[in-house]
Amino acid sequence: MGANTIEITDSNFESEVEKSDVPVLIDFWAAWCGPCRALAPTVDEIATEYAGKLKVGKLDVDANTSLSARFSIRGIPTLLLFKDGQVKEQLVGAVPKTTIVGAISKHIS
């Protein structure tokens, strides 16, 4: 996990995501998932490039099953972009950085 990437868990979701004053991108992933590991450096790059404008977190689906169920995560990696506590964008799979940036840019002023 990069320096600007935070760990999101069942216990800190409300404070880090629902009450965040900036949009939050969460990478739903698992250690055993190859595409998740392939996407991780891209997620960390985005966290660094958008520091201050966007919060970026990683959520381990195996350790945080209630959030995975709450957001109906069926395939990983899944990226969810939250703004004002609501899901605004969903990307499933190891998508290119340009796709992620395109989704983010619609929600950052």
Side-chain angles (χ1 to χ4, degrees):
M1 206 171 330
N4 294 305
T5 309
I6 60 172
E7 182 178 4
I8 302 294
T9 63
D10 288 339
S11 59
N12 73 1
F13 182 82
E14 182 181 356
S15 62
E16 293 289 356
V17 180
E18 292 177 329
K19 294 183 177 177
S20 177
D21 54 357
V22 295
V24 183
L25 180 70
I26 300 180
D27 176 12
F28 287 78
W29 73 288
W32 49 263
C33 167
C36 298
R37 291 194 305 274
L39 187 63
T42 302
V43 171
D44 289 338
E45 282 175 30
I46 289 170
T48 300
E49 291 169 18
Y50 287 88
K53 294 187 239 171
L54 175 76
K55 191 182 292 187
V56 177
K58 295 181 71 69
L59 185 142
D60 183 335
V61 296
D62 291 331
N64 301 281
T65 54
S66 68
L67 283 171
S68 301
R70 177 175 165 187
F71 294 106
S72 302
I73 303 301
R74 301 277 181 257
I76 54 174
T78 292
L79 299 174
L80 295 183
L81 181 72
F82 292 82
K83 187 171 184 181
D84 301 321
Q86 302 296 313
V87 176
K88 299 295 183 183
E89 301 284 340
Q90 177 173 331
L91 301 169
V92 179
V95 295
K97 184 177 178 181
T98 53
T99 303
I100 301 168
V101 169
I104 292 168
S105 62
K106 295 186 255 180
H107 303 282
I108 293 181
S109 47

XYZ file of all heavy atoms in Angstrom:
820
model
N 0.845 -1.170 0.000
C 0.000 0.000 0.000
C 0.897 1.241 0.000
O 1.863 1.314 0.731
C -0.891 -0.019 1.244
C -2.161 0.730 1.060
S -3.420 0.593 2.360
C -3.215 -1.004 3.076
N 0.547 2.201 -0.853
C 1.344 3.407 -0.982
C 1.185 4.351 0.196
O 0.289 4.209 1.026
N 2.056 5.358 0.251
C 2.068 6.315 1.359
C 0.767 7.105 1.460
O 0.360 7.509 2.541
C 3.247 7.261 1.200
N 0.099 7.338 0.328
C -1.131 8.121 0.320
C -2.388 7.258 0.283
O -3.488 7.766 0.114
C -1.130 9.080 -0.876
C -0.051 10.133 -0.746
O 0.017 10.835 0.242
N 0.811 10.223 -1.735
N -2.213 5.947 0.409
C -3.338 5.012 0.362
C -3.632 4.543 1.779
O -2.719 4.167 2.508
C -2.989 3.805 -0.532
O -2.505 4.284 -1.792
C -4.202 2.935 -0.767
N -4.908 4.573 2.177
C -5.276 4.163 3.529
C -6.019 2.834 3.492
O -6.606 2.476 2.475
C -6.138 5.234 4.229
C -7.430 5.496 3.450
C -5.355 6.512 4.433
C -8.418 6.392 4.155
N -5.991 2.142 4.605
C -6.745 0.895 4.716
C -8.155 1.222 5.201
O -8.335 1.897 6.207
C -6.063 -0.062 5.695
C -6.787 -1.383 5.796
C -6.112 -2.379 6.732
O -5.112 -2.029 7.373
O -6.618 -3.508 6.826
N -9.146 0.754 4.460
C -10.544 0.937 4.834
C -11.033 -0.378 5.428
O -10.799 -1.446 4.863
C -11.415 1.320 3.611
C -10.903 2.598 2.938
C -12.879 1.452 4.018
C -11.023 3.851 3.754
N -11.711 -0.283 6.572
C -12.210 -1.478 7.251
C -13.673 -1.257 7.642
O -14.180 -0.138 7.563
C -11.400 -1.769 8.530
O -11.584 -0.679 9.441
C -9.918 -1.947 8.229
N -14.300 -2.326 8.098
C -15.670 -2.214 8.601
C -15.747 -1.154 9.699
O -16.711 -0.403 9.787
C -16.147 -3.557 9.168
C -16.414 -4.601 8.082
O -16.619 -4.227 6.914
O -16.415 -5.801 8.408
N -14.697 -1.073 10.528
C -14.749 -0.178 11.687
C -14.468 1.289 11.357
O -14.939 2.171 12.064
C -13.798 -0.664 12.782
O -12.478 -0.726 12.300
N -13.702 1.579 10.299
C -13.413 2.997 10.008
C -14.160 3.523 8.782
O -13.968 4.669 8.381
C -11.907 3.244 9.872
C -11.302 2.697 8.579
O -11.980 2.127 7.731
N -10.005 2.861 8.437
N -15.020 2.719 8.192
C -15.723 3.121 6.967
C -16.524 4.409 7.151
O -16.458 5.316 6.331
C -16.638 1.997 6.474
C -17.346 2.324 5.193
C -16.695 2.168 3.982
C -18.637 2.814 5.189
C -17.333 2.486 2.782
C -19.288 3.131 4.014
C -18.619 2.973 2.801
N -17.259 4.494 8.247
C -18.093 5.685 8.461
C -17.242 6.952 8.544
O -17.515 7.938 7.866
C -18.927 5.535 9.740
C -19.845 6.724 9.970
C -20.665 6.604 11.250
O -20.589 5.568 11.938
O -21.388 7.559 11.545
N -16.179 6.928 9.348
C -15.358 8.125 9.527
C -14.528 8.452 8.294
O -14.389 9.623 7.923
C -14.447 7.974 10.746
O -13.549 6.898 10.573
N -13.985 7.448 7.613
C -13.098 7.692 6.467
C -13.847 7.929 5.156
O -13.353 8.624 4.272
C -12.129 6.516 6.286
C -11.118 6.361 7.389
C -10.052 7.440 7.409
O -10.021 8.298 6.511
O -9.243 7.427 8.349
N -15.034 7.339 5.013
C -15.741 7.413 3.735
C -17.026 8.231 3.833
O -17.186 9.240 3.147
C -16.042 5.997 3.186
C -16.776 6.076 1.850
C -14.753 5.195 3.039
N -17.936 7.802 4.691
C -19.243 8.458 4.752
C -19.151 9.902 5.237
O -19.945 10.740 4.830
C -20.199 7.656 5.646
C -20.558 6.318 5.021
C -21.452 5.453 5.902
O -21.361 5.544 7.139
O -22.241 4.685 5.325
N -18.176 10.208 6.075
C -18.038 11.571 6.606
C -16.894 12.341 5.954
O -16.543 13.425 6.415
C -17.851 11.520 8.119
C -19.085 10.985 8.832
C -18.936 11.006 10.328
C -20.230 10.533 10.979
N -20.128 10.454 12.436
N -16.330 11.828 4.894
C -15.202 12.484 4.225
C -15.675 13.756 3.516
O -16.745 13.783 2.909
C -14.575 11.536 3.199
O -13.532 12.195 2.508
N -14.852 14.797 3.592
C -15.192 16.045 2.905
C -14.646 16.087 1.476
O -14.851 17.064 0.761
C -14.723 17.263 3.715
C -13.240 17.201 4.054
O -12.580 16.200 3.713
O -12.728 18.163 4.659
N -13.954 15.033 1.064
C -13.492 14.899 -0.321
C -13.979 13.556 -0.854
O -14.283 12.648 -0.074
C -11.945 14.984 -0.438
C -11.439 16.362 -0.039
C -11.260 13.891 0.361
N -14.070 13.393 -2.175
C -14.453 12.088 -2.720
C -13.470 10.994 -2.269
O -12.305 11.279 -1.988
C -14.379 12.301 -4.234
C -14.568 13.772 -4.417
C -13.889 14.401 -3.227
N -13.961 9.766 -2.201
C -13.146 8.634 -1.747
C -13.228 7.514 -2.782
O -14.310 7.080 -3.152
C -13.636 8.091 -0.384
C -12.726 6.965 0.105
C -13.716 9.202 0.654
N -12.059 7.070 -3.244
C -11.965 5.930 -4.156
C -11.538 4.725 -3.335
O -10.505 4.767 -2.660
C -10.944 6.200 -5.255
C -10.753 5.068 -6.268
C -11.980 4.928 -7.168
C -9.500 5.309 -7.107
N -12.337 3.665 -3.360
C -11.990 2.451 -2.618
C -11.757 1.307 -3.593
O -12.574 1.040 -4.463
C -13.097 2.048 -1.621
C -13.324 3.161 -0.612
C -12.703 0.754 -0.899
C -14.387 2.843 0.403
N -10.614 0.657 -3.399
C -10.245 -0.531 -4.158
C -10.618 -1.748 -3.317
O -10.004 -2.005 -2.283
C -8.736 -0.486 -4.434
C -8.206 -1.721 -5.129
O -9.017 -2.544 -5.612
O -6.965 -1.875 -5.190
N -11.669 -2.462 -3.721
C -12.055 -3.714 -3.067
C -11.174 -4.806 -3.672
O -11.242 -5.048 -4.879
C -13.536 -4.012 -3.318
C -14.479 -3.123 -2.544
C -14.738 -1.838 -2.961
C -15.109 -3.596 -1.397
C -15.613 -1.016 -2.257
C -15.980 -2.788 -0.683
C -16.228 -1.493 -1.108
N -10.358 -5.462 -2.850
C -9.350 -6.387 -3.345
C -9.174 -7.562 -2.379
O -9.752 -7.581 -1.295
C -8.014 -5.657 -3.509
C -7.378 -5.358 -2.172
C -7.781 -4.427 -1.256
C -6.269 -6.030 -1.589
N -6.990 -4.481 -0.137
C -6.045 -5.453 -0.316
C -5.449 -7.067 -2.024
C -5.028 -5.882 0.525
C -4.434 -7.480 -1.180
C -4.231 -6.876 0.075
N -8.329 -8.519 -2.766
C -7.923 -9.628 -1.894
C -6.494 -10.025 -2.259
O -6.092 -9.890 -3.420
C -8.856 -10.815 -2.066
N -5.767 -10.509 -1.281
C -4.357 -10.870 -1.478
C -4.171 -11.962 -2.524
O -3.171 -11.992 -3.238
C -3.742 -11.296 -0.142
N -5.136 -12.863 -2.635
C -5.016 -13.997 -3.562
C -5.414 -13.637 -4.999
O -5.316 -14.462 -5.902
C -5.879 -15.157 -3.076
C -7.282 -14.762 -2.718
C -7.752 -14.474 -1.469
C -8.388 -14.562 -3.618
N -9.086 -14.107 -1.531
C -9.501 -14.149 -2.848
C -8.553 -14.676 -5.000
C -10.742 -13.861 -3.395
C -9.801 -14.389 -5.546
C -10.875 -13.988 -4.751
N -5.851 -12.423 -5.228
C -6.386 -12.003 -6.536
C -5.293 -11.385 -7.413
O -4.787 -10.304 -7.109
C -7.520 -11.001 -6.266
S -8.075 -10.088 -7.704
N -4.935 -12.088 -8.492
C -3.899 -11.601 -9.407
C -4.216 -10.245 -10.032
O -3.382 -9.337 -10.010
N -5.410 -10.070 -10.614
C -5.745 -8.759 -11.182
C -5.725 -7.629 -10.138
O -5.394 -6.488 -10.457
C -7.159 -8.962 -11.741
C -7.235 -10.428 -12.033
C -6.420 -11.077 -10.939
N -6.048 -7.963 -8.891
C -5.991 -6.956 -7.815
C -4.551 -6.496 -7.599
O -4.277 -5.298 -7.467
C -6.527 -7.529 -6.502
S -8.250 -8.043 -6.557
N -3.638 -7.462 -7.571
C -2.220 -7.121 -7.390
C -1.703 -6.322 -8.582
O -0.892 -5.417 -8.425
C -1.388 -8.385 -7.175
C -1.665 -9.048 -5.833
C -0.623 -10.099 -5.464
N -0.436 -11.127 -6.487
C -1.159 -12.232 -6.602
N -2.138 -12.467 -5.755
N -0.903 -13.115 -7.543
N -2.202 -6.629 -9.778
C -1.781 -5.891 -10.978
C -2.278 -4.449 -10.950
O -1.595 -3.537 -11.435
C -2.298 -6.601 -12.230
N -3.461 -4.226 -10.386
C -4.055 -2.889 -10.332
C -3.475 -2.030 -9.206
O -3.520 -0.801 -9.277
C -5.574 -3.010 -10.167
C -6.393 -1.736 -10.250
C -6.269 -1.091 -11.641
C -7.850 -2.017 -9.940
N -2.926 -2.650 -8.180
C -2.462 -1.937 -6.981
C -1.508 -0.771 -7.265
O -1.707 0.320 -6.715
C -1.844 -2.918 -5.991
N -0.482 -0.921 -8.120
C 0.405 0.225 -8.370
C -0.330 1.419 -9.000
O -0.030 2.570 -8.693
C 1.459 -0.336 -9.336
C 1.402 -1.813 -9.158
C -0.016 -2.134 -8.784
N -1.310 1.145 -9.835
C -2.097 2.212 -10.455
C -2.908 2.952 -9.398
O -2.974 4.189 -9.398
C -3.033 1.628 -11.537
O -2.239 0.938 -12.501
C -3.847 2.714 -12.213
N -3.512 2.201 -8.488
C -4.297 2.803 -7.407
C -3.391 3.690 -6.544
O -3.757 4.813 -6.182
C -4.996 1.716 -6.567
C -5.635 2.304 -5.313
C -6.041 0.989 -7.400
N -2.178 3.215 -6.242
C -1.240 4.005 -5.442
C -0.801 5.268 -6.182
O -0.656 6.333 -5.570
C -0.023 3.159 -5.052
C -0.366 2.088 -4.020
O -1.382 2.244 -3.318
O 0.388 1.099 -3.923
N -0.598 5.179 -7.495
C -0.244 6.362 -8.302
C -1.349 7.416 -8.222
O -1.082 8.605 -8.059
C -0.061 5.983 -9.774
C 1.237 5.330 -10.126
C 1.246 4.892 -11.591
O 0.584 5.532 -12.433
O 1.931 3.894 -11.880
N -2.579 6.973 -8.357
C -3.727 7.883 -8.296
C -3.802 8.542 -6.921
O -4.054 9.743 -6.812
C -5.022 7.144 -8.678
C -5.004 6.851 -10.186
C -6.261 7.945 -8.279
C -6.087 5.926 -10.670
N -3.546 7.768 -5.864
C -3.556 8.319 -4.505
C -2.539 9.446 -4.367
O -2.824 10.481 -3.750
C -3.271 7.216 -3.493
N -1.366 9.274 -4.955
C -0.326 10.294 -4.884
C -0.687 11.502 -5.740
O -0.580 12.647 -5.291
C 1.028 9.699 -5.344
O 1.345 8.606 -4.468
C 2.131 10.731 -5.289
N -1.140 11.262 -6.965
C -1.448 12.355 -7.884
C -2.629 13.217 -7.425
O -2.675 14.404 -7.709
C -1.739 11.801 -9.279
C -0.500 11.226 -9.949
C -0.821 10.448 -11.219
O -1.913 10.614 -11.789
O 0.052 9.654 -11.632
N -3.574 12.609 -6.715
C -4.775 13.340 -6.294
C -4.787 13.655 -4.801
O -5.834 14.001 -4.261
C -6.034 12.542 -6.674
C -6.316 12.570 -8.148
C -5.748 11.638 -9.004
C -7.142 13.548 -8.699
C -5.990 11.664 -10.363
C -7.399 13.584 -10.062
C -6.815 12.637 -10.887
O -7.059 12.668 -12.238
N -3.635 13.551 -4.149
C -3.546 13.826 -2.708
C -4.116 15.215 -2.407
O -3.801 16.183 -3.092
C -2.098 13.724 -2.237
N -4.994 15.276 -1.412
C -5.624 16.536 -1.042
C -6.970 16.763 -1.708
O -7.809 17.478 -1.189
N -7.167 16.150 -2.876
C -8.432 16.296 -3.611
C -9.288 15.038 -3.550
O -10.480 15.084 -3.791
C -8.154 16.613 -5.078
C -7.496 17.940 -5.327
C -7.428 18.201 -6.812
C -5.995 18.371 -7.234
N -5.799 18.415 -8.660
N -8.630 13.911 -3.281
C -9.283 12.607 -3.305
C -8.625 11.726 -2.249
O -7.407 11.721 -2.130
C -9.096 11.962 -4.689
C -9.606 10.536 -4.876
C -11.126 10.532 -4.998
C -8.993 9.916 -6.131
N -9.444 11.011 -1.509
C -8.925 10.034 -0.551
C -8.979 8.680 -1.257
O -9.967 8.359 -1.908
C -9.812 10.028 0.695
C -9.246 9.256 1.868
C -10.204 9.246 3.042
C -10.376 10.589 3.686
N -11.185 10.508 4.924
N -7.901 7.917 -1.149
C -7.852 6.599 -1.792
C -7.599 5.544 -0.724
O -6.691 5.671 0.092
C -6.750 6.535 -2.866
C -6.670 5.138 -3.481
C -7.008 7.575 -3.959
N -8.456 4.522 -0.737
C -8.328 3.455 0.234
C -8.420 2.090 -0.398
O -8.908 1.931 -1.514
N -7.928 1.102 0.341
C -8.012 -0.289 -0.091
C -8.792 -1.049 0.968
O -8.573 -0.854 2.152
C -6.616 -0.889 -0.259
C -5.839 -0.220 -1.391
C -4.473 -0.813 -1.582
C -4.471 -2.188 -2.174
N -4.883 -2.311 -3.555
N -9.710 -1.895 0.524
C -10.530 -2.673 1.435
C -10.380 -4.145 1.088
O -10.702 -4.563 -0.025
C -11.997 -2.237 1.316
C -12.943 -2.892 2.311
C -13.977 -1.877 2.775
C -13.622 -4.107 1.743
N -9.853 -4.910 2.026
C -9.661 -6.356 1.846
C -11.022 -7.034 2.011
O -11.603 -7.023 3.093
C -8.662 -6.859 2.888
C -8.341 -8.334 2.748
O -9.176 -9.094 2.202
O -7.263 -8.742 3.201
N -11.538 -7.608 0.919
C -12.882 -8.196 0.943
C -12.978 -9.401 1.891
O -14.042 -9.673 2.432
C -13.381 -8.593 -0.464
C -13.527 -7.368 -1.342
C -12.474 -9.620 -1.116
N -11.878 -10.107 2.089
C -11.896 -11.276 2.980
C -11.974 -10.854 4.448
O -12.566 -11.541 5.265
C -10.659 -12.151 2.755
C -10.689 -12.841 1.405
O -11.798 -13.120 0.899
O -9.605 -13.103 0.851
N -11.379 -9.719 4.783
C -11.355 -9.254 6.168
C -12.551 -8.366 6.516
O -12.813 -8.119 7.688
C -10.052 -8.501 6.434
N -13.247 -7.862 5.505
C -14.348 -6.915 5.726
C -15.579 -7.362 4.949
O -16.065 -6.670 4.055
C -13.908 -5.512 5.288
C -12.695 -5.034 6.051
O -12.800 -4.597 7.185
N -11.537 -5.149 5.438
N -16.094 -8.525 5.316
C -17.173 -9.138 4.546
C -18.480 -8.351 4.594
O -19.247 -8.376 3.635
C -17.419 -10.579 5.021
O -17.638 -10.576 6.427
C -16.217 -11.463 4.698
N -18.739 -7.629 5.680
C -20.020 -6.916 5.750
C -20.076 -5.771 4.738
O -21.110 -5.533 4.120
C -20.309 -6.411 7.160
O -19.414 -5.403 7.533
N -18.958 -5.065 4.534
C -18.950 -3.990 3.531
C -19.015 -4.564 2.114
O -19.671 -3.993 1.248
C -17.710 -3.106 3.685
C -17.757 -2.118 4.842
C -16.415 -1.445 5.033
C -18.848 -1.085 4.619
N -18.347 -5.679 1.900
C -18.399 -6.328 0.584
C -19.836 -6.714 0.250
O -20.306 -6.516 -0.875
C -17.505 -7.561 0.555
O -16.173 -7.196 0.840
N -20.548 -7.241 1.234
C -21.953 -7.621 1.029
C -22.831 -6.381 0.859
O -23.709 -6.344 -0.013
C -22.440 -8.455 2.205
N -22.591 -5.361 1.676
C -23.395 -4.130 1.616
C -23.372 -3.491 0.232
O -24.377 -2.974 -0.243
C -22.862 -3.144 2.655
C -23.556 -1.802 2.661
C -23.031 -0.952 3.798
N -23.396 0.426 3.650
C -22.944 1.396 4.428
N -22.118 1.111 5.420
N -23.307 2.639 4.240
N -22.201 -3.537 -0.424
C -22.071 -2.923 -1.742
C -22.128 -3.946 -2.874
O -21.773 -3.641 -4.006
C -20.802 -2.068 -1.799
C -20.885 -0.893 -0.869
C -20.172 -0.870 0.306
C -21.746 0.165 -1.153
C -20.280 0.199 1.191
C -21.866 1.236 -0.280
C -21.140 1.252 0.891
N -22.588 -5.145 -2.567
C -22.791 -6.212 -3.560
C -21.568 -6.447 -4.432
O -21.673 -6.534 -5.653
C -24.009 -5.887 -4.433
O -25.164 -5.732 -3.642
N -20.416 -6.554 -3.792
C -19.174 -6.809 -4.519
C -19.181 -8.274 -4.957
O -19.150 -9.173 -4.121
C -17.932 -6.493 -3.653
C -17.961 -5.039 -3.172
C -16.653 -6.809 -4.423
C -17.996 -3.990 -4.253
N -19.253 -8.496 -6.242
C -19.325 -9.857 -6.793
C -18.022 -10.276 -7.457
O -17.710 -11.447 -7.553
C -20.451 -9.947 -7.832
C -21.809 -9.611 -7.282
C -22.429 -10.819 -6.595
N -23.751 -10.489 -6.095
C -24.037 -10.242 -4.825
N -23.085 -10.270 -3.922
N -25.265 -9.961 -4.443
N -17.290 -9.305 -7.977
C -16.013 -9.588 -8.631
C -14.985 -8.583 -8.159
O -15.325 -7.446 -7.841
N -13.733 -9.017 -8.079
C -12.675 -8.095 -7.682
C -11.552 -8.154 -8.711
O -11.400 -9.178 -9.383
C -12.144 -8.407 -6.260
C -11.706 -9.862 -6.133
C -13.153 -8.029 -5.211
C -11.041 -10.206 -4.819
N -10.811 -7.084 -8.879
C -10.961 -5.826 -8.153
C -12.213 -5.054 -8.581
O -12.609 -5.099 -9.733
C -9.700 -5.040 -8.522
C -9.316 -5.570 -9.877
C -9.718 -7.023 -9.865
N -12.804 -4.370 -7.617
C -13.881 -3.415 -7.884
C -13.478 -2.091 -7.262
O -13.045 -2.056 -6.110
C -15.219 -3.882 -7.268
O -15.678 -5.042 -7.972
C -16.284 -2.801 -7.383
N -13.598 -1.024 -8.043
C -13.338 0.318 -7.535
C -14.668 1.033 -7.388
O -15.455 1.074 -8.332
C -12.449 1.103 -8.508
C -11.059 0.522 -8.780
C -10.366 1.335 -9.874
C -10.214 0.516 -7.525
N -14.913 1.581 -6.195
C -16.105 2.391 -5.966
C -15.653 3.795 -5.616
O -14.755 3.974 -4.794
C -16.954 1.835 -4.819
C -17.599 0.467 -4.996
C -18.461 0.141 -3.781
C -18.424 0.390 -6.258
N -16.280 4.779 -6.248
C -15.999 6.177 -5.939
C -17.181 6.736 -5.162
O -18.316 6.703 -5.650
C -15.768 6.988 -7.216
C -15.450 8.466 -6.967
C -14.055 8.616 -6.385
C -15.578 9.274 -8.238
N -16.895 7.192 -3.958
C -17.922 7.765 -3.087
C -17.780 9.274 -3.059
O -16.676 9.805 -3.016
C -17.746 7.255 -1.646
C -18.035 5.800 -1.473
C -17.080 4.842 -1.779
C -19.264 5.372 -0.993
C -17.335 3.489 -1.608
C -19.531 4.020 -0.814
C -18.567 3.085 -1.119
N -18.910 9.950 -3.066
C -18.928 11.397 -2.847
C -20.137 11.671 -1.964
O -21.226 11.163 -2.244
C -19.038 12.152 -4.173
C -18.881 13.653 -4.002
C -18.766 14.348 -5.335
C -18.513 15.828 -5.119
N -18.431 16.530 -6.401
N -19.913 12.429 -0.899
C -20.965 12.705 0.092
C -21.567 11.407 0.633
O -22.776 11.320 0.858
C -22.055 13.596 -0.519
C -21.492 14.918 -1.023
O -20.608 15.473 -0.342
O -21.918 15.386 -2.091
N -20.731 10.388 0.794
C -21.169 9.123 1.369
C -21.931 8.204 0.433
O -22.356 7.131 0.829
N -22.106 8.612 -0.822
C -22.865 7.820 -1.795
C -21.957 7.307 -2.914
O -21.042 8.011 -3.334
C -23.968 8.682 -2.429
C -24.947 9.272 -1.430
C -25.752 8.208 -0.710
O -26.274 7.287 -1.323
N -25.845 8.338 0.604
N -22.260 6.113 -3.416
C -21.502 5.573 -4.551
C -21.879 6.355 -5.812
O -23.042 6.449 -6.167
C -21.799 4.073 -4.768
C -21.083 3.560 -6.008
C -21.401 3.262 -3.550
N -20.858 6.927 -6.466
C -21.082 7.692 -7.691
C -20.580 6.962 -8.938
O -21.076 7.189 -10.031
C -20.398 9.062 -7.598
C -20.911 9.932 -6.468
C -22.348 10.302 -6.676
C -22.850 11.238 -5.586
N -24.247 11.568 -5.723
N -19.567 6.134 -8.769
C -18.978 5.397 -9.894
C -18.601 4.001 -9.416
O -18.224 3.812 -8.262
C -17.706 6.085 -10.405
C -17.881 7.510 -10.884
C -18.527 7.631 -12.257
O -18.509 6.637 -13.011
O -19.044 8.715 -12.564
N -18.685 3.023 -10.342
C -18.240 1.662 -10.055
C -17.495 1.133 -11.266
O -18.009 1.181 -12.391
C -19.432 0.761 -9.746
C -19.026 -0.684 -9.510
C -20.184 -1.560 -9.046
O -21.100 -1.083 -8.408
N -20.106 -2.830 -9.364
N -16.301 0.647 -11.033
C -15.481 0.045 -12.087
C -15.092 -1.352 -11.625
O -14.590 -1.519 -10.515
C -14.212 0.875 -12.329
C -14.421 2.340 -12.730
C -13.112 3.101 -12.679
C -15.032 2.423 -14.106
N -15.329 -2.349 -12.466
C -15.018 -3.730 -12.099
C -13.932 -4.264 -13.031
O -13.996 -4.082 -14.243
C -16.275 -4.630 -12.185
C -15.934 -6.063 -11.824
C -17.370 -4.095 -11.274
N -12.928 -4.902 -12.424
C -11.836 -5.487 -13.197
C -10.607 -4.605 -13.175
O -10.625 -3.498 -12.647
N -9.546 -5.116 -13.752
C -8.279 -4.380 -13.815
C -8.349 -3.390 -14.982
O -7.828 -3.638 -16.059
C -7.112 -5.340 -13.968
N -9.025 -2.293 -14.750
C -9.245 -1.296 -15.797
C -8.021 -0.401 -15.946
O -7.236 -0.241 -15.009
C -10.503 -0.444 -15.500
C -11.757 -1.296 -15.538
C -10.381 0.266 -14.165
N -7.846 0.213 -17.132
C -6.694 1.101 -17.335
C -6.801 2.373 -16.493
O -7.903 2.811 -16.129
C -6.752 1.448 -18.823
C -7.889 0.713 -19.405
C -8.642 0.038 -18.317
N -5.651 2.958 -16.219
C -5.603 4.190 -15.415
C -6.466 5.289 -16.034
O -7.139 6.023 -15.317
C -4.152 4.655 -15.267
C -3.996 5.868 -14.385
C -2.540 6.236 -14.216
C -2.389 7.472 -13.367
N -0.986 7.851 -13.205
N -6.463 5.392 -17.358
C -7.255 6.446 -18.016
C -8.747 6.316 -17.699
O -9.441 7.316 -17.537
C -7.053 6.420 -19.545
O -7.304 5.096 -20.027
C -5.646 6.832 -19.922
N -9.227 5.091 -17.583
C -10.633 4.855 -17.236
C -10.924 5.325 -15.816
O -11.946 5.969 -15.554
C -10.969 3.356 -17.381
O -10.672 2.943 -18.717
C -12.426 3.073 -17.072
N -10.005 5.025 -14.903
C -10.177 5.429 -13.507
C -10.140 6.949 -13.389
O -10.998 7.560 -12.743
C -9.095 4.782 -12.609
C -9.156 3.255 -12.706
C -9.256 5.244 -11.164
C -7.961 2.544 -12.097
N -9.162 7.568 -14.031
C -9.032 9.028 -13.991
C -10.274 9.690 -14.591
O -10.774 10.687 -14.065
C -7.743 9.482 -14.714
C -7.720 10.982 -14.930
C -6.515 9.039 -13.918
N -10.812 9.133 -15.663
C -12.034 9.664 -16.267
C -13.207 9.638 -15.311
O -13.990 10.595 -15.229
N -13.336 8.556 -14.551
C -14.418 8.441 -13.570
C -14.231 9.429 -12.424
O -15.185 10.054 -11.961
C -14.489 7.018 -13.043
N -12.991 9.586 -11.984
C -12.684 10.489 -10.870
C -12.921 11.948 -11.261
O -13.507 12.720 -10.501
C -11.220 10.312 -10.422
C -11.003 8.949 -9.787
C -10.797 11.424 -9.454
C -9.540 8.591 -9.595
N -12.467 12.311 -12.450
C -12.475 13.724 -12.854
C -13.881 14.335 -12.884
O -14.033 15.540 -12.694
C -11.775 13.903 -14.202
O -12.469 13.190 -15.204
N -14.887 13.517 -13.055
C -16.266 14.021 -13.051
C -16.714 14.500 -11.672
O -17.706 15.216 -11.559
C -17.230 12.921 -13.522
C -17.053 12.492 -14.946
C -18.138 11.514 -15.335
C -17.614 10.107 -15.395
N -18.607 9.114 -15.770
N -16.000 14.099 -10.636
C -16.434 14.350 -9.268
C -15.483 15.201 -8.429
O -15.725 15.418 -7.258
C -16.695 13.012 -8.563
C -17.702 12.173 -9.290
N -19.051 12.411 -9.227
C -17.545 11.134 -10.144
C -19.691 11.548 -9.993
N -18.789 10.750 -10.552
N -14.429 15.661 -9.065
C -13.462 16.495 -8.346
C -13.511 17.900 -8.925
O -13.438 18.074 -10.137
C -12.040 15.911 -8.467
C -11.971 14.584 -7.717
C -11.008 16.887 -7.938
C -10.637 13.927 -7.742
N -13.629 18.860 -8.027
C -13.697 20.257 -8.515
C -12.330 20.880 -8.573
O -11.402 20.452 -7.983
C -14.620 21.061 -7.625
O -14.331 20.841 -6.278
